[in-house]
Amino acid sequence: MKLEKIKPLDKEYLESIGFTWHTDSDDSSYIANELVEISEKEANSYYEATNELYEMFIEAGQFVIDNELFHELNIPFNLVEIIKESWENDVHWHLYSRFDLAGGIDNKPIKLIEFNADTPTSVFETAIVQWAMLKQNNLKEEAQFNNLYDALKDNFKRIITLNSDIDKFEEYYSNLGWKILFSSISSSSEDINTTKLLQHIANEAGFNTDFEFIENVQFSDDGIFKDDELFEFWFKLIPWEDIAIQESSLALLLTEIVKEKKAIIFNPAYTLIFQSKAFMKILWDLFPNHPLLLETSFEPLKGKKYVEKKAFGREGSNVKIVNSDGSIDLETFGDYEGHKSIYQEYIEFPQDENGEFYQAGVFYSYEACALGFRRGGKILNNMSKFVGHIIK
């Protein structure tokens, strides 16, 4: 693989645009000072693969709904009703998501690792920072597979038009005047500024918006409120599974709010189906040996190297790489031990000359729209670096 060295963005500039999580706990820069070089053909392959995968997810999601496979996916029982409700009504629009992929560069085939469908990270990095990296280094800003900002703006409009025709947004919206309340937790600058970036994009799309920390949002049978003002849309950068496990009464109240059409929530509850890593097993059953998939099971794979991970694990925690003879190659620990395990065929990520591994992340917002990379060890964690790209 080819890397292009660039002058890094200085901290003052990053903080001036709201990107405050630029330095990791070991004082190293979170943003790499290299770009991954890819070809136009490789960019097109990521685009086509991600679009195909999303269609497969839709088909498999319907299979899960039809066959009541929520327990198999480790989905909390108190979210089943709202998942069904959001799946069956088109007004519950999937705003954005990110596919994590192995391969795609260095002549390696693209393979799905998992799908961050509910609360995907790296929005700011992908949409803003890697564009700035090219601009600040006098490189061609358009030489990227990166339309995330505009794709999000268009997809916000689709929550009103409910189809690909966004030209009628202003006409429809002027008759409705609906507002979006954006919420995050108050303890994470990354979550706050990512949510406010999305709020800014919605403002540019033409929406009236407001922001409030989740702990201050008011919920009742009548809907979702800030200071007694009703909001028809609520965007939450809080994982659905956290709401189910930590705020079970809120999960039930949100179910009633959605059922009674008092508010629409983004991302919708059905994205938890896709978010579950156990969904990879359903995909493998429905599309066995598909070239974009890795064999995945609810039991350890026999005779081959595999990865054991948790259905709702995050940041590389509670992951185990197991060799074909059953010995452990690498293992991490964390807070997700209580979740169901799945077993996925191991595939090695592309490596640079320093032996570091690269995982592609392709954002999907109505269609595949942007690429970025994470760099780290065999198991990527919260110390992994964000690496931009350039098409050459």
Side-chain angles (χ1 to χ4, degrees):
M1 62 182 297
K2 294 182 180 179
L3 296 172
E4 178 170 343
K5 199 84 169 178
I6 59 169
K7 180 182 177 181
L9 301 173
D10 62 56
K11 294 179 181 178
E12 290 75 20
Y13 172 79
L14 290 171
E15 291 186 2
S16 75
I17 62 173
F19 190 78
T20 57
W21 56 102
H22 46 66
T23 303
D24 285 327
S25 57
D26 61 356
D27 284 334
S28 64
S29 175
Y30 163 52
I31 304 297
N33 61 346
E34 296 96 10
L35 299 171
V36 177
E37 288 189 14
I38 67 170
S39 66
E40 192 74 47
K41 182 179 178 181
E42 289 169 331
N44 287 336
S45 294
Y46 280 124
Y47 173 80
E48 292 168 2
T50 305
N51 287 335
E52 182 175 356
L53 283 167
Y54 195 82
E55 291 301 315
M56 293 161 63
F57 267 76
I58 294 296
E59 184 176 336
Q62 188 64 61
F63 182 82
V64 168
I65 298 285
D66 292 343
N67 293 278
E68 299 275 347
L69 300 179
F70 304 103
H71 178 72
E72 285 81 351
L73 299 188
N74 203 200
I75 288 174
F77 73 93
N78 57 358
L79 290 180
V80 169
E81 192 174 0
I82 193 173
I83 286 172
K84 290 179 178 179
E85 190 74 27
S86 64
W87 181 267
E88 292 164 5
N89 192 331
D90 287 344
V91 301
H92 301 282
W93 200 262
H94 193 180
L95 281 177
Y96 75 115
S97 50
R98 192 193 75 237
F99 285 92
D100 287 342
L101 306 169
I105 53 175
D106 205 18
N107 296 315
K108 294 181 180 292
I110 294 172
K111 297 286 185 179
L112 173 66
I113 300 299
E114 57 198 47
F115 187 28
N116 299 275
D118 179 18
T119 54
T121 56
S122 301
V123 176
F124 210 120
E125 296 91 311
T126 303
I128 305 296
V129 174
Q130 70 168 337
W131 167 81
M133 292 159 76
L134 268 64
K135 183 176 176 65
Q136 296 286 82
N137 281 272
N138 298 313
L139 298 168
K140 290 175 63 177
E141 300 157 28
E142 67 274 14
Q144 290 184 351
F145 169 27
N146 185 11
N147 189 41
L148 180 54
Y149 193 100
D150 289 334
L152 284 165
K153 187 159 64 173
D154 288 347
N155 224 20
F156 272 114
K157 294 179 180 179
R158 290 189 186 98
I159 69 178
I160 296 296
T161 65
L162 295 178
N163 58 45
S164 59
D165 183 7
I166 58 174
D167 293 335
K168 295 184 178 180
F169 168 77
E170 291 184 7
E171 174 189 342
Y172 291 178
Y173 186 69
S174 63
N175 295 325
L176 297 170
W178 290 344
K179 302 176 293 294
I180 310 177
L181 179 63
F182 286 79
S183 297
S184 74
I185 60 173
S186 59
S187 57
S188 167
S189 64
E190 179 179 355
D191 285 7
I192 294 167
N193 286 349
T194 297
T195 302
K196 289 189 173 182
L197 171 62
L198 291 161
Q199 180 189 3
H200 175 77
I201 295 172
N203 285 338
E204 281 201 356
F207 277 93
N208 293 317
T209 72
D210 203 346
F211 176 89
E212 185 55 271
F213 294 122
I214 177 65
E215 56 265 36
N216 298 326
V217 178
Q218 299 140 23
F219 305 93
S220 76
D221 292 338
D222 294 322
I224 298 174
F225 297 83
K226 174 187 175 180
D227 298 331
D228 298 325
E229 181 180 7
L230 175 67
F231 286 82
E232 292 81 8
F233 295 116
W234 183 46
F235 175 91
K236 46 123 206 100
L237 199 65
I238 300 104
W240 276 107
E241 71 268 22
D242 287 0
I243 293 174
I245 295 168
Q246 300 170 16
E247 301 285 348
S248 58
S249 59
L250 177 58
L252 296 175
L253 186 52
L254 291 175
T255 299
E256 290 306 308
I257 287 171
V258 168
K259 278 178 61 181
E260 297 302 319
K261 299 178 173 55
K262 300 295 185 180
I264 296 169
I265 302 169
F266 303 107
N267 272 315
Y270 68 74
T271 57
L272 191 59
I273 296 176
F274 299 160
Q275 183 78 29
S276 171
K277 296 174 180 62
F279 192 84
M280 257 45 84
K281 199 277 186 178
I282 306 298
L283 280 176
W284 184 256
D285 288 347
L286 295 179
F287 305 98
N289 300 306
H290 190 284
L292 293 173
L293 300 180
L294 295 167
E295 181 180 356
T296 308
S297 174
F298 292 152
E299 302 294 334
L301 302 178
K302 295 181 179 179
K304 62 176 62 177
K305 193 171 184 177
Y306 64 84
V307 179
E308 178 185 351
K309 48 190 177 182
K310 300 300 180 179
F312 291 110
R314 291 175 180 265
E315 296 183 330
S317 297
N318 303 102
V319 175
K320 189 185 299 182
I321 300 176
V322 181
N323 295 313
S324 57
D325 63 2
S327 61
I328 296 175
D329 180 10
L330 191 62
E331 184 175 8
T332 64
F333 302 91
D335 299 328
Y336 305 100
E337 189 61 37
H339 290 288
K340 181 176 185 174
S341 288
I342 63 110
Y343 305 86
Q344 184 182 58
E345 178 185 356
Y346 176 79
I347 188 168
E348 195 164 273
F349 295 133
Q351 284 181 273
D352 62 22
E353 60 184 13
N354 297 317
E356 294 194 277
F357 296 89
Y358 290 73
Q359 176 182 272
V362 179
F363 275 89
Y364 188 97
S365 186
Y366 192 70
E367 64 178 349
C369 59
L371 169 68
F373 289 91
R374 290 174 68 205
R375 179 174 73 195
K378 279 186 180 180
I379 299 174
L380 296 172
N381 56 29
N382 60 2
M383 294 295 287
S384 301
K385 306 305 182 185
F386 179 81
V387 189
H389 75 283
I390 187 168
I391 298 174
K392 286 198 169 182

